[in-house]
Amino acid sequence: MLLRFLTQAASAVLLALPLAASAAQPVIEVYKSATCGCCKEWVKHLEANGFTVKTQDVPNTSDYREKFGIPNEYGSCHTGRVNGYAIEGHVPASDIKRLLATKPKARGLAVPGMPMGSPGMEGPRKDPYEVLLVQDGGKTSVYKRYP
Ligand SMILES: [Cu+2]
């Protein structure tokens, strides 16, 4: 339904969306570098999906990655935290919502690197990418695959 709206009346939906979707999504803290443009675009994606985002510019996002238990090899350009879960990189809001609804025992979600076509990385190309569930021991499993 949302997609149909977007194609028909993009501007109207963009105005209405924050109101409609703001119900009960928790605050996400986001740690990023001050100069990161795609981080800002990802934050906009979260806000458009009802999340309240508190960003903090930090000199080194890897400090937060380490603190939240996300191995560096799964690192990206920003690290977030919501309800005790780490959210690393350009993770789609729908996957964060599923994580919060199902509450698996895990450290959080990660989209390693910065795949083209992920939220905040929109461009001329769409590359396939995976959202990983990072388990408590640091192992991962595929949480969702985007073609
Ligand atoms: Cu990025």
Side-chain angles (χ1 to χ4, degrees):
M1 193 174 91
L2 190 57
L3 277 177
R4 206 166 58 219
F5 269 143
L6 278 173
T7 51
Q8 286 173 355
S11 59
V13 169
L14 285 175
L15 284 173
L17 197 58
L19 285 175
S22 64
Q25 294 305 327
V27 173
I28 301 188
E29 300 157 33
V30 175
Y31 302 90
K32 64 178 191 63
S33 72
T35 53
C36 180
C38 58
C39 299
K40 284 182 195 147
E41 293 304 310
W42 182 67
V43 166
K44 281 188 205 161
H45 163 76
L46 297 181
E47 288 172 342
N49 283 280
F51 287 97
T52 301
V53 185
K54 290 198 170 142
T55 62
Q56 198 176 321
D57 293 337
V58 296
N60 206 344
T61 55
S62 64
D63 294 348
Y64 292 86
R65 203 150 52 229
E66 194 181 339
K67 194 168 137 192
F68 301 154
I70 301 293
N72 249 325
E73 60 187 301
Y74 306 120
S76 180
C77 52
H78 51 254
T79 298
R81 183 101 162 145
V82 61
N83 285 8
Y85 287 111
I87 306 293
E88 176 71 26
H90 291 262
V91 179
S94 56
D95 295 318
I96 301 173
K97 287 182 182 176
R98 176 156 71 104
L99 181 84
L100 296 176
T102 57
K103 301 185 182 68
K105 202 172 153 358
R107 289 180 183 171
L109 298 176
V111 172
M114 306 213 299
M116 288 297 300
S118 58
M121 288 294 295
E122 288 87 357
R125 213 173 70 230
K126 267 194 169 209
D127 290 341
Y129 67 96
E130 289 173 346
V131 178
L132 303 175
L133 182 72
V134 182
Q135 281 140 15
D136 281 337
K139 283 189 184 163
T140 62
S141 57
V142 176
Y143 195 67
K144 176 127 188 207
R145 193 169 271 131
Y146 288 87

